[in-house]
Amino acid sequence: MEAYEYEVMAAVEHTHWWYRGMRALTAAWLDPLYAARADLRILDAGCGTGGNVDFLRRYGAVAGLDLAPLAVQLGARRAPGRLQRGSVLALPYRAASFDLVTSFDVLYHRAVIDEDSALREAWRVLRPGGRLLLRLPAYRWLASRHDRSVHGRHRYTLGETRALLERNGFVVERGSYVNSLLFPLALVQRLAERLCPAAPPAGSEMRPPHPLLNQLFGLALALEAAWLRRGRTFPAGLSVLVLARKP
């Protein structure tokens, strides 16, 4: 990603509606499995500046890994000793080291030249019965200026993500589109970008909106999380969320 995106991430990832909402969606699937546990070994592969490392500690001991030196440097201020630099294509951990691997919006980056290699590495470091929680941006036609600024390479469908996991040996347990209630707003934004392609970008899209909007958008994702907790799914959305298991 561009350096300024990491700086924005480090500044807002505990308060911005998107980050908080995505953690609520994550908890909707992980809490039923692990809420009573605090002994898991967890890897956040592609951890950015470490906000999710903090969140995942509710389930056990967490290691965070990211390729970008700036991300690790910024995150180390908040999570000293828990973040290290490395590639998801060659994880610096022993086989069968973790009970849970998470990967949030990582495989779609240009630096991940081969998703299969990254998934094989996740498989290698997972213990038998361990799980991978994978989130990816949805739909190639939704690519935007933000994708370019974070060096996005590809956006996925749910079916494509399922097939990707299954061909690398994972058993898909759950899958859904998420960030669905705000989908119409995103469509309007993408249309505006296409109608005015020469308009200068207004900085990072992840800068906090007005506090009222921050609350309203966060509420939308909280409602989605409640829906997922009931075992329901969404037919479309801005992201794909899939939970898979290593047999």
Side-chain angles (χ1 to χ4, degrees):
M1 298 197 302
E2 298 297 331
Y4 67 85
E5 292 286 358
Y6 287 115
E7 292 165 356
V8 171
M9 179 189 296
V12 308
E13 64 177 334
H14 286 291
T15 57
H16 194 287
W17 66 269
W18 189 87
Y19 290 107
R20 294 175 65 184
M22 286 297 160
R23 290 179 192 126
L25 294 169
T26 297
W29 281 359
L30 293 186
D31 278 355
L33 295 168
Y34 302 125
R37 303 278 301 271
D39 59 343
L40 299 182
R41 292 208 64 218
I42 304 164
L43 171 65
D44 188 21
C47 64
T49 57
N52 288 321
V53 171
D54 293 339
F55 159 74
L56 291 165
R57 290 177 67 194
R58 66 174 71 183
Y59 307 116
V62 188
L65 174 135
D66 201 277
L67 184 63
L70 179 58
V72 174
Q73 175 186 340
L74 292 169
R77 300 172 186 172
R78 186 173 56 241
R82 295 199 299 272
L83 274 61
Q84 72 175 92
R85 187 170 181 241
S87 171
V88 297
L89 298 172
L91 296 174
Y93 306 103
R94 297 192 308 272
S97 297
F98 296 99
D99 303 291
L100 174 67
V101 173
T102 59
S103 179
F104 300 124
D105 299 323
V106 175
L107 297 191
Y108 99 120
H109 285 290
R110 291 201 309 250
V112 183
I113 57 176
D114 180 10
E115 307 107 313
D116 291 289
S117 294
L119 290 175
R120 285 194 294 270
E121 277 293 277
W123 168 277
R124 181 183 65 80
V125 301
L126 274 172
R127 294 169 178 162
R131 289 182 171 91
L132 169 68
L133 184 65
L134 184 66
R135 189 182 72 227
L136 292 167
Y139 303 124
R140 184 178 300 182
W141 50 269
L142 279 176
S144 67
R145 290 173 183 151
H146 179 70
D147 291 278
R148 292 193 292 274
S149 68
V150 299
H151 300 176
R153 171 185 53 80
H154 181 69
R155 298 176 70 100
Y156 297 78
T157 66
L158 180 57
E160 182 180 8
T161 307
R162 284 180 176 273
L164 184 61
L165 288 161
E166 288 170 353
R167 76 172 180 239
N168 284 285
F170 287 94
V171 175
V172 174
E173 295 183 327
R174 302 189 69 173
S176 179
Y177 288 99
V178 293
N179 202 354
S180 302
L181 297 180
L182 299 175
F183 194 60
L185 294 179
L187 290 179
V188 172
Q189 180 191 32
R190 300 307 196 264
L191 179 60
E193 285 189 14
R194 284 160 175 73
L195 292 176
C196 304
S204 171
E205 285 190 7
M206 301 312 294
R207 293 189 183 280
H210 186 278
L212 179 58
L213 287 178
N214 202 50
Q215 288 187 353
L216 289 175
F217 291 166
L219 176 60
L221 291 186
L223 291 172
E224 290 191 22
W227 186 254
L228 292 184
R229 281 183 183 273
R230 299 181 64 181
R232 308 299 179 86
T233 61
F234 293 94
L238 297 174
S239 298
V240 171
L241 188 66
V242 179
L243 181 68
R245 177 175 47 84
K246 176 179 179 177

